[in-house]
Amino acid sequence: MAIKILRVFFIGLLLLQFPLFQVVRCQSEIEADVEGSELGIVREDVQDFVGGNFKPAPGVETICLFPKNSAKVVPAGEKTELLVGMENVGQSPLNIIAIEASVHLPFDHRMLVQNLTAQVFDNASVPPSTQATFPYIFAVSKFLQPGTFDLVGTVVYEINQSPYQSTFYNGTIEVVEAGGFVSVESVFLVTLGISLVVLLGLWIHGQFKRISQKTKAAPKVEVGTGTTDASMDEWLQGTAYNQSSSKSKKKK
Amino acid sequence: METVIGNPLIKALIILFLLSATTAAGDAPFIISHKKASLTRLKSGAERVSVSIDIYNQGFSTAYDVSLVDDSWPKDLFDIISGNTSNSWERLDAGGILSHSFEIDAKRQGMFHGAPAVITYRVPTKVSLQEAYSTPILPLDILAERPTENKLDWAKRLLAKYGSQLSVVSIVLLFIYLVATPSKASAAKASKKKS
């Protein structure tokens, strides 16, 4: 009955999975996808600026903040937001072109783990003697192993048509596994734990019984499947067996 | 001693040190402001925009008379339902955070591009009012047409989301049931062996 239920259940499971089947495809490049990254129409000359190496401008201060996330926890595969604060101490307004970031290994900064998608701005400017904040939403690859990594974030901007670049963050982030409480592994582990505890309890219970029975009289020895009726052993009359049983009967 | 101080190099170093001390960014507040807007479709068909603005002070000194003004919601397009688009506080200490939120109803359909909110504050070392801008918001699609999801897609989405967890839990429960209840076939076999 239970085997039948099992069979029906597994066939049902297989059938239910059919609409969700997806062939696993190998990605040649693991790029993080940032949704809604563009806050306006893209400038034509953005490609010249993004990826280049420029010096920071002297009258610009940058600061980075992970809102409500002081431990800098980044769930793998899910969106994380950070805020870039820019202060323009100079005399002319500056235009933000793009914010880009990359993830590196903590012990060797030259080893690049992932280049995060750059976020381009069209109409973002910071007037002189003001501070402004810009958001940067990114997502690391969901296959990235949990651990500590280095995040380097730079902001590319221009003052009077000259491009500059400042690093607003060059520190560690904590990548953790994204996932709910109920997952395949946790359910199996919890059930295994409970069953081990139950087994242990049963074994201890058995040990207690054994010990308590030892203190009592010797347990009754079963003498076979049938009843020891003397009438059944008539074919054993006169043999050694019959004599010994009659002796034991007399003793009793 | 006099020759050491009189040395022009030492004089230059001292002047440089004093200059750098006064122009260091480490003694001013740095205001970072995060503006978030989310859309909710009400049952009456109107679109409600919930705006929340967080102000952080990541600098090293206190900002006084912090005032927040969000004029990016024109009166002909939005109605204020609760709260106020401006607020002010006496001070924001270094490392502190202030929050303000309000709700508005959108009247007209279309894409709306919001401007950042403006925060002004005072510092003891400067006379003029300091300005800071919040983050801009993503374009909001007001009263957008949402395609209705048919039942099959909804069921598929739920299955994809919870299918693995549900199947794991049911496999485990079924296994426990199998182990705990002896089946009739096996009981019959056992009795056969005994007799």
Side-chain angles (χ1 to χ4, degrees):
Chain A
M1 174 62 185
I3 303 287
K4 208 171 169 187
I5 296 175
L6 205 64
R7 266 191 233 153
V8 167
F9 175 70
F10 277 120
I11 289 173
L13 253 188
L14 268 172
L15 286 172
L16 273 174
Q17 282 169 33
F18 272 130
L20 304 168
F21 264 168
Q22 266 183 348
V23 175
V24 171
R25 283 189 190 85
C26 179
Q27 282 179 308
S28 53
E29 243 182 55
I30 301 175
E31 284 278 339
D33 52 322
V34 177
E35 288 171 18
S37 60
E38 296 182 8
L39 289 167
I41 311 158
V42 179
R43 292 160 53 126
E44 302 86 39
D45 53 353
V46 141
Q47 290 312 313
D48 301 336
F49 295 122
V50 171
N53 270 327
F54 305 107
K55 296 261 174 1
V60 173
E61 304 284 337
T62 55
I63 208 160
C64 173
L65 172 71
F66 284 78
K68 306 210 165 80
N69 187 9
S70 53
K72 304 191 179 70
V73 169
V74 174
E78 287 181 4
K79 287 191 223 175
T80 315
E81 186 165 21
L82 62 82
L83 301 172
V84 182
M86 305 271 304
E87 179 167 18
N88 186 2
V89 186
Q91 302 300 317
S92 27
L94 64 88
N95 296 324
I96 308 280
I97 298 171
I99 296 181
E100 52 190 7
S102 54
V103 182
H104 299 257
L105 285 180
F107 40 84
D108 192 353
H109 219 67
R110 292 162 302 173
M111 306 284 284
L112 177 74
V113 171
Q114 188 177 4
N115 249 332
L116 300 172
T117 313
Q119 179 162 329
V120 293
F121 295 85
D122 172 52
N123 205 5
S125 68
V126 186
S129 310
T130 44
Q131 297 165 345
T133 316
F134 298 97
Y136 181 58
I137 306 176
F138 63 97
V140 295
S141 162
K142 76 175 169 188
F143 304 113
L144 196 58
Q145 278 197 340
T148 318
F149 290 91
D150 259 353
L151 179 76
V152 178
T154 58
V155 51
V156 182
Y157 51 95
E158 67 170 9
I159 301 177
N160 296 330
Q161 313 298 322
S162 333
Y164 297 94
Q165 182 179 337
S166 283
T167 305
F168 60 84
Y169 188 68
N170 188 356
T172 53
I173 52 164
E174 204 63 45
V175 175
V176 293
E177 218 179 74
F181 185 61
V182 177
S183 72
V184 178
E185 296 97 358
S186 67
V187 168
F188 274 140
L189 270 174
V190 163
T191 326
L192 185 70
I194 293 173
S195 58
L196 281 175
V197 165
V198 163
L199 272 174
L200 191 72
L202 276 172
W203 181 77
I204 291 173
H205 182 67
Q207 294 298 310
F208 269 141
K209 249 193 172 173
R210 201 159 60 88
I211 290 170
S212 60
Q213 274 172 356
K214 265 189 185 168
T215 55
K216 286 187 200 161
K220 214 169 98 172
V221 174
E222 195 153 345
V223 286
T225 55
T227 49
T228 48
D229 199 0
S231 58
M232 284 184 56
D233 298 330
E234 57 192 20
W235 62 279
L236 289 168
Q237 292 285 349
T239 59
Y241 177 75
N242 199 19
Q243 286 171 354
S244 67
S245 69
S246 61
K247 270 189 198 166
S248 62
K249 271 186 190 166
K250 276 185 193 164
K251 275 184 190 170
K252 282 181 193 165
Chain B
M1 188 61 183
E2 287 138 354
T3 48
V4 173
I5 300 284
N7 195 351
L9 191 62
I10 301 294
K11 268 192 197 158
L13 273 174
I14 291 170
I15 290 167
L16 199 66
F17 172 70
L18 286 169
L19 266 176
S20 62
T22 49
T23 56
D27 64 345
F30 202 123
I31 300 291
I32 291 187
S33 172
H34 192 35
K35 178 170 159 181
K36 290 174 274 201
S38 60
L39 291 169
T40 351
R41 182 71 62 90
L42 299 172
K43 285 212 169 68
S44 62
E47 192 97 55
R48 175 146 301 181
V49 187
S50 314
V51 183
S52 83
I53 302 175
D54 294 327
I55 306 177
Y56 305 84
N57 183 359
Q58 291 294 103
F60 294 94
S61 69
T62 312
Y64 297 95
D65 293 333
V66 180
S67 150
L68 163 73
V69 172
D70 191 4
D71 280 336
S72 62
W73 312 98
K75 290 264 183 315
D76 56 343
L77 292 173
F78 298 98
D79 284 327
I80 300 179
I81 301 294
S82 73
N84 212 345
T85 56
S86 3
N87 203 348
S88 61
W89 298 267
E90 248 183 40
R91 59 189 286 160
L92 177 57
D93 293 319
I97 170 172
L98 293 169
S99 275
H100 179 62
S101 55
F102 55 91
E103 288 192 359
I104 47 180
D105 257 356
K107 289 193 267 195
R108 214 184 295 170
Q109 190 187 14
M111 286 295 269
F112 177 72
H113 299 263
V118 180
I119 296 115
T120 49
Y121 60 97
R122 282 193 197 282
V123 279
T125 49
K126 290 185 193 153
V127 172
S128 56
L129 211 56
Q130 305 296 307
E131 242 187 4
Y133 289 103
S134 76
T135 58
I137 52 169
L138 290 168
L140 296 172
D141 204 355
I142 311 278
L143 292 169
E145 300 271 334
R146 272 187 217 159
T148 48
E149 214 178 9
N150 62 341
K151 289 285 177 191
L152 191 66
D153 283 334
W154 172 79
K156 262 201 208 173
R157 196 164 48 90
L158 265 185
L159 195 68
K161 205 170 167 191
Y162 298 111
S164 63
Q165 291 154 345
L166 207 68
S167 54
V168 154
V169 171
S170 47
I171 285 173
V172 165
L173 286 174
L174 195 69
F175 179 72
I176 294 171
Y177 167 72
L178 255 185
V179 163
T181 57
S183 65
K184 288 180 194 159
S186 60
K189 273 195 200 164
S191 59
K192 254 194 187 172
K193 276 192 188 162
K194 281 184 186 174
S195 60

